[in-house]
Amino acid sequence: MSASIIDGKAFAANLKEKIAGKVKILKEKYDLTPGLAVVLVGEDPASQVYVRNKNKSTKAAGMNSFEYLMDDDVSEEELIKKVNELNNDPNVHGILVQLPLPEHINEAAVIETITPEKDVDGFHVINSGLLATGGKGMVPCTPLGCIMMLKDQLGNLSGLDAVVVGRSNIVGKPMAQLLLNESCTVTIAHSRTKDLPDVVGRADIVVAAVGVPELVKGNWIKKGATVIDVGINRIQKNDGKTKLVGDVEFAVAAERAAAITPVPGGVGPMTIAVLLQNTVTAACRSMGIDEPN
Ligand code: NAD
Protein backbone atom coordinates (compact mmCIF):
# COMPACT_ATOMS: atom_id res chain seq x y z
CA MET A 1 0.00 0.00 0.00
CA SER A 2 1.20 3.49 -0.72
CA ALA A 3 -0.19 6.10 1.62
CA SER A 4 -1.90 9.26 0.52
CA ILE A 5 0.10 12.25 1.65
CA ILE A 6 -1.80 14.72 3.82
CA ASP A 7 -0.91 18.12 2.40
CA GLY A 8 -0.65 20.42 5.43
CA LYS A 9 0.34 23.40 3.28
CA ALA A 10 -2.81 23.17 1.17
CA PHE A 11 -4.92 22.52 4.27
CA ALA A 12 -3.44 25.59 5.98
CA ALA A 13 -3.89 27.77 2.88
CA ASN A 14 -7.54 26.78 2.75
CA LEU A 15 -8.04 27.51 6.45
CA LYS A 16 -6.29 30.91 6.13
CA GLU A 17 -8.58 31.83 3.26
CA LYS A 18 -11.62 30.98 5.39
CA ILE A 19 -10.19 33.04 8.27
CA ALA A 20 -9.64 36.05 6.00
CA GLY A 21 -13.32 35.74 4.97
CA LYS A 22 -14.41 35.74 8.63
CA VAL A 23 -12.22 38.77 9.40
CA LYS A 24 -13.81 40.66 6.51
CA ILE A 25 -17.30 39.94 7.87
CA LEU A 26 -16.29 40.95 11.41
CA LYS A 27 -14.94 44.28 10.12
CA GLU A 28 -17.97 45.04 7.99
CA LYS A 29 -20.65 43.89 10.41
CA TYR A 30 -19.17 44.72 13.82
CA ASP A 31 -16.26 47.10 13.10
CA LEU A 32 -14.10 44.47 14.81
CA THR A 33 -10.53 43.74 13.70
CA PRO A 34 -9.08 40.75 15.57
CA GLY A 35 -5.62 41.56 16.98
CA LEU A 36 -2.77 39.23 17.89
CA ALA A 37 0.13 40.35 20.10
CA VAL A 38 3.34 38.33 20.00
CA VAL A 39 6.06 38.86 22.59
CA LEU A 40 9.56 37.64 21.77
CA VAL A 41 12.30 37.67 24.37
CA GLY A 42 15.90 37.44 23.13
CA GLU A 43 17.33 36.70 19.71
CA ASP A 44 16.94 32.97 19.21
CA PRO A 45 17.06 32.64 15.38
CA ALA A 46 14.38 29.90 15.18
CA SER A 47 12.00 31.93 17.39
CA GLN A 48 12.66 35.03 15.27
CA VAL A 49 11.63 33.11 12.14
CA TYR A 50 8.43 31.84 13.84
CA VAL A 51 7.51 35.33 15.03
CA ARG A 52 8.16 36.88 11.59
CA ASN A 53 5.95 34.24 9.95
CA LYS A 54 3.18 34.77 12.51
CA ASN A 55 3.31 38.52 11.93
CA LYS A 56 3.14 38.10 8.14
CA SER A 57 0.26 35.61 8.26
CA THR A 58 -1.72 37.72 10.74
CA LYS A 59 -1.51 40.78 8.48
CA ALA A 60 -2.27 38.72 5.37
CA ALA A 61 -5.53 37.59 7.01
CA GLY A 62 -6.51 41.25 7.51
CA MET A 63 -5.92 41.16 11.26
CA ASN A 64 -3.89 43.50 13.47
CA SER A 65 -0.45 42.25 14.43
CA PHE A 66 1.39 43.70 17.44
CA GLU A 67 4.97 42.64 17.98
CA TYR A 68 7.02 43.25 21.13
CA LEU A 69 10.72 42.44 21.14
CA MET A 70 12.37 42.34 24.55
CA ASP A 71 16.05 41.96 25.44
CA ASP A 72 17.41 38.63 26.61
CA ASP A 73 18.08 40.07 30.07
CA VAL A 74 14.57 41.48 30.61
CA SER A 75 13.36 40.73 34.14
CA GLU A 76 10.41 38.43 34.81
CA GLU A 77 8.69 41.39 36.44
CA GLU A 78 9.01 43.54 33.32
CA LEU A 79 7.77 40.75 31.07
CA ILE A 80 4.77 40.17 33.33
CA LYS A 81 4.08 43.91 33.28
CA LYS A 82 4.00 43.82 29.46
CA VAL A 83 1.62 40.84 29.48
CA ASN A 84 -0.68 42.71 31.88
CA GLU A 85 -0.68 45.74 29.59
CA LEU A 86 -1.76 43.48 26.72
CA ASN A 87 -4.41 41.83 28.94
CA ASN A 88 -5.92 45.29 29.40
CA ASP A 89 -5.63 46.41 25.76
CA PRO A 90 -9.05 46.10 24.03
CA ASN A 91 -7.41 45.95 20.58
CA VAL A 92 -5.52 42.81 21.56
CA HIS A 93 -7.65 39.65 21.46
CA GLY A 94 -4.86 37.09 21.47
CA ILE A 95 -1.52 37.08 23.31
CA LEU A 96 1.33 34.74 22.54
CA VAL A 97 4.62 34.71 24.43
CA GLN A 98 7.10 32.88 22.24
CA LEU A 99 8.71 29.95 24.09
CA PRO A 100 11.28 29.01 25.19
CA LEU A 101 12.03 31.91 27.54
CA PRO A 102 15.50 32.59 28.99
CA GLU A 103 16.32 30.46 32.03
CA HIS A 104 16.00 33.27 34.59
CA ILE A 105 12.28 33.63 33.74
CA ASN A 106 9.65 31.26 35.14
CA GLU A 107 7.66 30.25 32.03
CA ALA A 108 4.68 29.00 34.00
CA ALA A 109 4.40 32.31 35.89
CA VAL A 110 4.34 34.23 32.61
CA ILE A 111 1.79 31.93 30.97
CA GLU A 112 -0.48 32.05 34.01
CA THR A 113 -0.44 35.86 33.79
CA ILE A 114 -2.11 35.82 30.36
CA THR A 115 -5.87 36.28 30.63
CA PRO A 116 -7.23 32.79 29.75
CA GLU A 117 -9.64 34.30 27.17
CA LYS A 118 -6.64 35.84 25.33
CA ASP A 119 -4.40 32.77 25.70
CA VAL A 120 -4.49 31.77 22.01
CA ASP A 121 -1.75 29.19 22.60
CA GLY A 122 -4.09 27.41 25.03
CA PHE A 123 -1.30 26.79 27.56
CA HIS A 124 -2.94 28.42 30.62
CA VAL A 125 -4.01 25.89 33.29
CA ILE A 126 -7.58 27.19 33.05
CA ASN A 127 -7.59 26.28 29.36
CA SER A 128 -6.02 22.84 30.02
CA GLY A 129 -8.73 22.29 32.63
CA LEU A 130 -11.49 23.37 30.26
CA LEU A 131 -10.15 21.02 27.58
CA ALA A 132 -10.08 18.16 30.08
CA THR A 133 -13.62 18.80 31.30
CA GLY A 134 -15.29 19.52 27.97
CA GLY A 135 -15.52 23.29 28.53
CA LYS A 136 -15.17 26.12 26.01
CA GLY A 137 -11.58 27.31 26.36
CA MET A 138 -8.71 27.99 23.99
CA VAL A 139 -7.15 24.80 22.57
CA PRO A 140 -3.39 24.51 21.81
CA CYS A 141 -2.77 25.19 18.11
CA THR A 142 -0.64 22.21 17.07
CA PRO A 143 -2.91 19.46 18.45
CA LEU A 144 -6.00 21.33 17.24
CA GLY A 145 -4.49 21.43 13.74
CA CYS A 146 -3.76 17.68 13.96
CA ILE A 147 -7.35 16.85 14.95
CA MET A 148 -8.67 19.01 12.07
CA MET A 149 -6.52 17.07 9.60
CA LEU A 150 -7.56 13.72 11.11
CA LYS A 151 -11.26 14.57 10.92
CA ASP A 152 -10.85 15.78 7.35
CA GLN A 153 -9.11 12.51 6.47
CA LEU A 154 -11.21 10.02 8.43
CA GLY A 155 -14.52 11.74 9.15
CA ASN A 156 -15.82 10.20 12.37
CA LEU A 157 -13.00 9.11 14.72
CA SER A 158 -15.30 7.41 17.22
CA GLY A 159 -14.06 4.03 18.48
CA LEU A 160 -10.70 4.17 16.69
CA ASP A 161 -7.55 3.13 18.55
CA ALA A 162 -5.24 6.14 18.79
CA VAL A 163 -1.69 6.27 20.12
CA VAL A 164 0.02 9.54 20.98
CA VAL A 165 3.78 9.19 21.36
CA GLY A 166 4.95 11.99 23.69
CA ARG A 167 3.31 13.50 26.77
CA SER A 168 4.31 17.16 26.71
CA ASN A 169 1.88 19.79 27.98
CA ILE A 170 1.87 21.61 24.65
CA VAL A 171 1.41 18.70 22.24
CA GLY A 172 1.10 15.17 23.64
CA LYS A 173 -1.36 15.67 26.50
CA PRO A 174 -3.79 18.05 24.74
CA MET A 175 -3.61 15.81 21.64
CA ALA A 176 -4.65 12.80 23.72
CA GLN A 177 -7.45 14.83 25.29
CA LEU A 178 -8.76 15.94 21.87
CA LEU A 179 -8.74 12.35 20.59
CA LEU A 180 -10.58 11.24 23.72
CA ASN A 181 -13.15 13.98 23.11
CA GLU A 182 -13.67 12.42 19.66
CA SER A 183 -14.37 9.08 21.41
CA CYS A 184 -11.13 7.38 20.37
CA THR A 185 -9.59 4.75 22.63
CA VAL A 186 -6.41 6.60 23.52
CA THR A 187 -3.00 5.35 24.62
CA ILE A 188 -0.28 7.81 25.57
CA ALA A 189 3.22 6.42 25.03
CA HIS A 190 6.35 8.12 26.37
CA SER A 191 10.02 7.59 27.14
CA ARG A 192 9.25 4.89 29.76
CA THR A 193 6.81 2.90 27.60
CA LYS A 194 7.93 -0.75 27.68
CA ASP A 195 7.15 -1.99 24.19
CA LEU A 196 6.67 0.98 21.86
CA PRO A 197 6.59 -1.09 18.61
CA ASP A 198 3.72 -3.18 20.01
CA VAL A 199 1.78 -0.12 21.27
CA VAL A 200 2.20 1.74 17.96
CA GLY A 201 1.40 -1.41 15.96
CA ARG A 202 -2.13 -1.62 17.44
CA ALA A 203 -3.14 1.93 16.50
CA ASP A 204 -5.51 3.09 13.77
CA ILE A 205 -4.18 6.61 14.43
CA VAL A 206 -0.57 7.35 15.36
CA VAL A 207 0.44 10.86 16.44
CA ALA A 208 4.17 11.23 17.02
CA ALA A 209 5.34 14.22 19.09
CA VAL A 210 8.70 13.23 20.51
CA GLY A 211 11.48 15.31 18.97
CA VAL A 212 13.68 12.31 18.11
CA PRO A 213 14.41 11.89 14.38
CA GLU A 214 12.60 8.86 12.92
CA LEU A 215 12.10 7.22 16.33
CA VAL A 216 8.88 5.57 15.15
CA LYS A 217 9.94 2.94 12.65
CA GLY A 218 7.93 2.48 9.49
CA ASN A 219 7.45 -1.26 9.99
CA TRP A 220 5.73 -0.65 13.39
CA ILE A 221 2.80 1.03 11.66
CA LYS A 222 -0.37 -1.05 11.29
CA LYS A 223 -1.46 -1.46 7.67
CA GLY A 224 -4.06 1.16 6.82
CA ALA A 225 -3.32 3.41 9.82
CA THR A 226 -3.30 7.20 9.65
CA VAL A 227 -0.04 8.80 10.78
CA ILE A 228 0.39 12.37 11.98
CA ASP A 229 4.02 13.37 12.45
CA VAL A 230 4.43 16.44 14.66
CA GLY A 231 8.21 16.18 15.05
CA ILE A 232 10.52 18.68 13.42
CA ASN A 233 14.15 17.58 13.61
CA ARG A 234 17.10 18.99 11.71
CA ILE A 235 19.66 16.30 10.89
CA GLN A 236 22.97 16.29 9.05
CA LYS A 237 23.18 14.41 5.76
CA ASN A 238 26.27 12.56 4.49
CA ASP A 239 27.19 15.52 2.27
CA GLY A 240 27.37 17.79 5.34
CA LYS A 241 24.17 19.65 4.45
CA THR A 242 21.17 19.48 6.78
CA LYS A 243 17.54 18.50 6.25
CA LEU A 244 14.33 18.36 8.26
CA VAL A 245 12.85 15.00 9.23
CA GLY A 246 9.96 14.03 11.47
CA ASP A 247 9.65 11.58 14.34
CA VAL A 248 8.44 8.86 11.96
CA GLU A 249 10.51 6.91 9.43
CA PHE A 250 8.51 8.38 6.58
CA ALA A 251 9.42 6.30 3.51
CA VAL A 252 8.75 2.91 5.13
CA ALA A 253 5.69 4.14 7.07
CA ALA A 254 4.20 5.48 3.83
CA GLU A 255 4.29 1.94 2.40
CA ARG A 256 2.02 0.69 5.21
CA ALA A 257 -0.15 3.65 6.24
CA ALA A 258 -3.34 4.73 4.47
CA ALA A 259 -2.42 8.38 4.99
CA ILE A 260 0.55 10.23 6.47
CA THR A 261 1.73 13.82 7.00
CA PRO A 262 5.15 14.69 5.55
CA VAL A 263 7.85 16.72 7.31
CA PRO A 264 8.17 19.48 6.28
CA GLY A 265 4.79 20.43 4.81
CA GLY A 266 2.48 18.53 7.17
CA VAL A 267 1.61 19.64 10.69
CA GLY A 268 3.97 22.65 10.73
CA PRO A 269 2.04 24.93 8.34
CA MET A 270 -1.22 24.15 10.15
CA THR A 271 -0.01 25.52 13.47
CA ILE A 272 0.08 29.19 12.37
CA ALA A 273 -3.27 28.91 10.58
CA VAL A 274 -4.87 27.56 13.78
CA LEU A 275 -3.28 30.38 15.79
CA LEU A 276 -5.10 32.87 13.56
CA GLN A 277 -8.30 30.87 13.93
CA ASN A 278 -7.95 30.93 17.74
CA THR A 279 -7.45 34.72 17.61
CA VAL A 280 -10.66 35.15 15.60
CA THR A 281 -12.49 32.92 18.10
CA ALA A 282 -11.10 34.96 21.03
CA ALA A 283 -12.13 38.25 19.34
CA CYS A 284 -15.70 37.02 18.75
CA ARG A 285 -16.02 35.73 22.31
CA SER A 286 -14.72 39.06 23.69
CA MET A 287 -17.63 40.81 21.94
CA GLY A 288 -20.14 38.07 22.75
CA ILE A 289 -20.90 37.52 19.07
CA ASP A 290 -21.25 34.31 17.05
CA GLU A 291 -18.25 33.48 14.92
CA PRO A 292 -19.03 33.82 11.18
CA ASN A 293 -19.03 30.47 9.32
P1 NAD B 1 8.98 17.62 24.48
O1 NAD B 1 10.45 17.41 24.46
O2 NAD B 1 8.37 18.57 25.44
O3 NAD B 1 8.27 16.21 24.74
C1 NAD B 1 8.73 15.05 24.10
C2 NAD B 1 7.98 13.85 24.65
O4 NAD B 1 8.49 12.69 23.98
C3 NAD B 1 8.14 13.61 26.15
O5 NAD B 1 6.86 13.54 26.72
C4 NAD B 1 8.84 12.25 26.27
O6 NAD B 1 8.27 11.42 27.25
C5 NAD B 1 8.61 11.63 24.91
N1 NAD B 1 9.75 10.80 24.55
C6 NAD B 1 11.06 11.11 24.58
N2 NAD B 1 11.79 10.06 24.19
C7 NAD B 1 10.94 9.06 23.91
C8 NAD B 1 11.09 7.73 23.47
N3 NAD B 1 12.30 7.20 23.25
N4 NAD B 1 9.99 6.98 23.29
C9 NAD B 1 8.76 7.50 23.51
N5 NAD B 1 8.56 8.78 23.91
C10 NAD B 1 9.63 9.53 24.13
O7 NAD B 1 8.58 17.96 22.97
P2 NAD B 1 7.28 18.71 22.34
O8 NAD B 1 7.34 20.13 22.65
O9 NAD B 1 6.05 17.93 22.63
O10 NAD B 1 7.64 18.55 20.79
C11 NAD B 1 7.78 17.28 20.17
C12 NAD B 1 8.22 17.46 18.74
O11 NAD B 1 7.21 18.19 18.05
C13 NAD B 1 9.50 18.29 18.55
O12 NAD B 1 10.20 17.77 17.44
C14 NAD B 1 9.01 19.67 18.24
O13 NAD B 1 9.92 20.42 17.46
C15 NAD B 1 7.77 19.35 17.44
N6 NAD B 1 6.73 20.39 17.48
C16 NAD B 1 6.20 20.74 16.29
C17 NAD B 1 5.22 21.70 16.23
C18 NAD B 1 4.62 22.07 14.90
O14 NAD B 1 4.06 23.12 14.74
N7 NAD B 1 4.68 21.17 13.93
C19 NAD B 1 4.76 22.32 17.40
C20 NAD B 1 5.29 21.90 18.62
C21 NAD B 1 6.28 20.92 18.64
Side-chain angles (χ1 to χ4, degrees), residues 70-172:
M70 304 186 96
D71 289 339
D72 218 8
D73 59 358
V74 68
S75 68
E76 186 176 311
E77 207 184 345
E78 268 177 275
L79 178 56
I80 284 183
K81 194 171 151 227
K82 173 51 73 189
V83 171
N84 273 321
E85 268 173 43
L86 299 171
N87 283 341
N88 294 323
D89 185 337
N91 294 315
V92 171
H93 305 98
I95 302 170
L96 181 150
V97 178
Q98 184 66 44
L99 303 179
L101 291 171
E103 269 181 19
H104 67 278
I105 296 178
N106 179 347
E107 275 186 4
V110 175
I111 291 167
E112 299 321 322
T113 304
I114 301 172
T115 301
E117 290 79 8
K118 294 192 179 190
D119 168 39
V120 281
D121 252 342
F123 295 163
H124 194 290
V125 283
I126 296 271
N127 283 320
S128 322
L130 287 168
L131 179 61
T133 53
K136 222 169 125 192
M138 300 305 308
V139 179
C141 304
T142 300
L144 185 53
C146 293
I147 209 87
M148 285 177 182
M149 290 195 285
L150 280 169
K151 283 167 82 171
D152 182 67
Q153 194 66 36
L154 296 168
N156 190 355
L157 309 185
S158 177
L160 294 177
D161 282 318
V163 168
V164 180
V165 191
R167 57 173 162 184
S168 72
N169 287 340
I170 63 170
V171 189

Side-chain angles (χ1 to χ4, degrees), residues 262-284:
V263 177
V267 175
M270 272 302 281
T271 298
I272 290 187
V274 176
L275 174 68
L276 304 182
Q277 172 56 55
N278 276 354
T279 306
V280 169
T281 301
C284 292

